Amino acid sequence: MANFELKLPKMGESVAEATITSWLKDVGDTIEADEAVLEIATDKVDSEVPSEVDGVLVEKLFNVDDVVQVGQVIAVIKTEGGDTVEVKATEAKPEVKEDTAAPKQVAEVEQTVVAARESVAPVASTEDRFYSPLVKNIAKKEGISQVELDTIQGTGKDARVTKNDIKSYLESRSASPVVTSTSNTVVEKAPEPTQTQGKPKQAVPEPKSIITDGGDEIIEMSRMGKLISKYMVDSVQTSAHVQSFIEADVTNIWNWRKKVKAGFTKREGENLTFTPIFMEAITKALKEFPMMNISLEGDKIIKKKAINVGMAAALPDGNLIVPVIKNADQLSLLGMVKRVNDLANRARLGKLNPDDIQGGTYTVTNVGTFGSIMGTPIINQPQVGILALGAIRKVPAVIETSEGDYIGIRYRMFLSHSYDHRVVNGALGGQFVKAVKDYLEAWDSDREI
C-alpha cells in the first residue's frame, strides 16, 4: 500500500490558484484513474480535478471555498501495490487513522460548539450565514466575536467567508488595538472594530433588507455571474470606451456559404458558420494594424507577437465565457472552422480547460446571434479592443456600377468597434474596423475550402 498525493494541477498561464467549489468524493470512497475527485473554479472557468491513480480517498486537506495554490497537495489517495509508505498494520491502517482522527475531530467540534455558545448565544446575530469549521476555528483563536465575524464580507460561494477573507480582515485589524471585552460589552460596542479599520463600508455592510411585492422571486447570482459583473464594472472604470460603427456588404459571403455549405459538411463533418469567416477577416486586420493587438499594463503598452482572438460564447445558464483561438493568423479557413466549432461545442458542454480561455489579445462578440444589429461591447481587460458582429439583414441598397447606380437587395451587417481611447485614437479605431469591412466585401466567390 502506498499514499499518493493529489496536487492542484497547473491550469494555464497566469493561473496561480483556484477555489474548491465541491468535493465529488468522500473519505473512504473508491476512485478510479481519471475519475473526478473535486470541482474547482478559477476567475473565469470551472473544471474538475481527476485522480491520476486507482485507490481509496483517505484524506481531504482542504474544505469547500478554500483557496489552493497550484502544486499544493489537496488530497491523499491510498493505492494498491507500489512501495510501502508505512509498515505498521497496513490492513488496519484505515481503521487506526479513523480512531486517531476521531478524538481530534471531536475536539474541533467541541471547540466550535464552545465558540458558538460564547459568541452566538448572547449576541443573537441577524445574519443567517454559513461558516466553515476552519473559519470558526480561526475566529475563536483570534478572539473574533460572532458580531464581528458577521461584519466580514465573504468572497466565497453564496458570499461565504473564506480563509483568505478572515486573514485579510485580521491583517487590516492588526493596525488597530484589539479590545477584549465581555459578551455584554461586545453587544453594546459592536461597531467599534469596524470604525478603527478606516473602511466602514467594507467592514459594516448595510443591512441586507430586500423589499418585495407579492410573488416576487429573489434569485442569488451565480459565482460566475458575480465575477462577470465585477469584471464588467472594472473594465468600464478602467478604459475610456469609444465606439466606431461601419456597415459591411456581405452578399458575396452569404451566397458563397450557401453554395459550399452542404458539400463541406458532408466532406468534413463540420458545420460551416459565418463566425470563422469573420474571424479570418479580423485576424488579417490585426496583422495590418498591430497596435490593436496590444495590452495596457499600468502605463506600459505591451505589443503582442501572437494573435490570439477570443470569441465570446453564451452558456446555457445565461452566463458568458470567452474561449481563445490561439495563433489565429496561422490557421487556414478550414483550420479556423474546426477550431471555432471545437471551442464553441466545449463551451456549451462546460468542457473548456483553463488554458482555453487564457492569453487572448483581442475579442469578438456576435450580438447578431440574438437579432441585434449593433452593440457597444465592453472591453475584455487588459486588451484594448472588442468587435461586435451585428445580425445579417436583407435590405435594399444602392449598388454602384460602371453603368450607373441602381437599387438592389443586398445582405448587410453592422460592425461595432469598442476601443480604449487611452491608447487607441479615433483614426486607428476607425481604420481597423474599415479594414475588416474591406476584407469581408472583397470575398472571393470562387474560393475553395
Side-chain angles (χ1 to χ4, degrees):
M1 306 290 286
N3 284 341
F4 174 80
E5 294 182 338
L6 180 64
K7 298 180 180 180
L8 183 66
K10 185 177 179 181
M11 298 168 290
E13 59 186 55
S14 78
V15 179
E17 63 183 23
T19 301
I20 296 177
T21 56
S22 68
W23 283 94
L24 304 178
K25 295 291 183 179
D26 293 321
V27 172
D29 286 353
T30 300
I31 302 172
E32 297 180 357
D34 294 327
E35 187 176 6
V37 179
L38 68 157
E39 293 179 336
I40 59 173
T42 63
D43 58 350
K44 287 186 178 180
V45 69
D46 296 344
S47 59
E48 298 175 340
V49 177
S51 173
E52 300 176 32
V53 296
D54 295 329
V56 177
L57 181 63
V58 296
E59 187 175 6
K60 299 177 183 178
L61 301 181
F62 292 92
N63 298 318
V64 171
D65 290 335
D66 283 350
V67 177
V68 185
Q69 302 298 313
V70 169
Q72 274 191 292
V73 179
I74 50 182
V76 177
I77 299 172
K78 184 160 298 286
T79 62
E80 295 287 343
D83 296 332
T84 302
V85 177
E86 295 184 16
V87 182
K88 299 179 182 179
T90 54
E91 293 182 0
K93 185 172 181 181
E95 296 181 2
V96 172
K97 182 172 181 178
E98 291 176 1
D99 293 339
T100 56
K104 182 179 179 181
Q105 294 175 351
V106 171
E108 290 180 355
V109 172
E110 289 177 349
Q111 291 176 0
T112 303
V113 171
V114 171
R117 287 175 178 171
E118 291 176 352
S119 59
V120 177
V123 170
S125 172
T126 58
E127 300 261 354
D128 184 15
R129 304 176 74 182
F130 170 84
Y131 297 101
S132 68
L134 177 62
V135 169
K136 290 181 179 180
N137 287 337
I138 294 175
K140 183 176 186 299
K141 181 179 178 181
E142 300 295 336
I144 298 177
S145 67
Q146 182 65 52
V147 166
E148 192 174 358
L149 188 60
D150 285 344
T151 65
I152 301 175
Q153 286 191 334
T155 60
K157 184 179 181 181
D158 298 328
R160 292 180 183 176
V161 176
T162 66
K163 178 177 67 175
N164 286 351
D165 293 333
I166 196 168
K167 284 187 175 181
S168 298
Y169 175 78
L170 288 170
E171 290 175 0
S172 63
R173 194 182 70 160
S174 63
S176 303
V178 179
V179 180
T180 304
S181 58
T182 64
S183 59
N184 291 334
T185 56
V186 168
V187 176
E188 295 172 358
K189 299 183 178 181
E192 285 186 2
T194 61
Q195 293 174 356
T196 58
Q197 291 181 61
K199 297 181 180 181
K201 291 185 178 180
Q202 292 184 357
V204 186
E206 296 181 0
K208 299 178 181 179
S209 58
I210 300 177
I211 301 176
T212 61
D213 291 328
D216 293 349
E217 180 182 4
I218 299 175
I219 301 174
E220 179 71 19
M221 290 179 67
S222 66
R223 183 194 64 82
M224 182 175 285
K226 293 176 183 177
L227 288 172
I228 293 174
S229 174
K230 181 179 183 302
Y231 291 148
M232 295 299 98
V233 172
D234 288 347
S235 181
V236 171
Q237 294 176 344
T238 299
S239 296
H241 282 66
V242 174
Q243 284 81 30
S244 293
F245 306 90
I246 199 167
E247 192 174 19
D249 188 319
V250 292
T251 305
N252 290 343
I253 293 176
W254 181 281
N255 293 334
W256 174 84
R257 175 179 173 270
K258 183 178 180 181
K259 178 177 64 176
V260 304
K261 181 180 178 181
F264 177 85
T265 302
K266 183 178 180 180
R267 184 180 74 248
E268 301 293 339
E270 298 276 354
N271 186 29
L272 180 59
T273 66
F274 289 103
T275 301
I277 299 171
F278 298 147
M279 289 295 184
E280 183 185 68
I282 292 165
T283 300
K284 289 180 179 179
L286 287 171
K287 290 194 71 173
E288 184 178 347
F289 296 96
M291 287 307 292
M292 284 304 311
N293 196 53
I294 66 174
S295 65
L296 185 61
E297 303 284 353
D299 58 357
K300 298 291 189 294
I301 296 174
I302 302 174
K303 189 176 180 181
K304 300 292 186 177
K305 181 178 181 181
I307 297 179
N308 301 332
V309 184
M311 57 173 198
L315 299 176
D317 62 1
N319 285 315
L320 192 70
I321 198 165
V322 186
V324 177
I325 302 171
K326 304 289 180 64
N327 299 310
D329 56 319
Q330 299 177 18
L331 296 175
S332 64
L333 182 56
L334 176 59
M336 186 74 78
V337 171
K338 291 182 178 293
R339 188 70 58 84
V340 166
N341 288 348
D342 172 61
L343 291 173
N345 290 334
R346 287 195 286 125
R348 284 190 291 267
L349 296 174
K351 299 296 184 181
L352 289 175
N353 299 316
D355 192 54
D356 291 329
I357 61 171
Q358 299 291 329
T361 60
Y362 189 85
T363 300
V364 179
T365 179
N366 190 354
V367 298
T369 302
F370 310 104
S372 298
I373 61 173
M374 61 177 64
T376 55
I378 297 174
I379 297 169
N380 189 8
Q381 298 294 326
Q383 300 169 20
V384 299
I386 180 172
L387 187 68
L389 306 173
I392 298 177
R393 300 160 298 125
K394 188 159 56 172
V395 296
V398 176
I399 302 173
E400 298 179 355
T401 70
S402 58
E403 299 177 355
D405 298 343
Y406 67 94
I407 301 294
I409 302 300
R410 308 293 291 178
Y411 290 92
R412 301 177 72 89
M413 64 182 296
F414 280 102
L415 306 175
S416 307
H417 187 210
S418 290
Y419 47 95
D420 190 342
H421 213 354
R422 294 179 299 168
V423 288
V424 180
N425 57 32
L428 175 58
Q431 289 171 349
F432 171 80
V433 72
K434 185 179 184 303
V436 177
K437 162 192 163 73
D438 292 341
Y439 284 123
L440 294 176
E441 292 185 345
W443 188 263
D444 183 3
S445 299
D446 297 322
R447 181 171 179 175
E448 296 183 358
I449 181 174

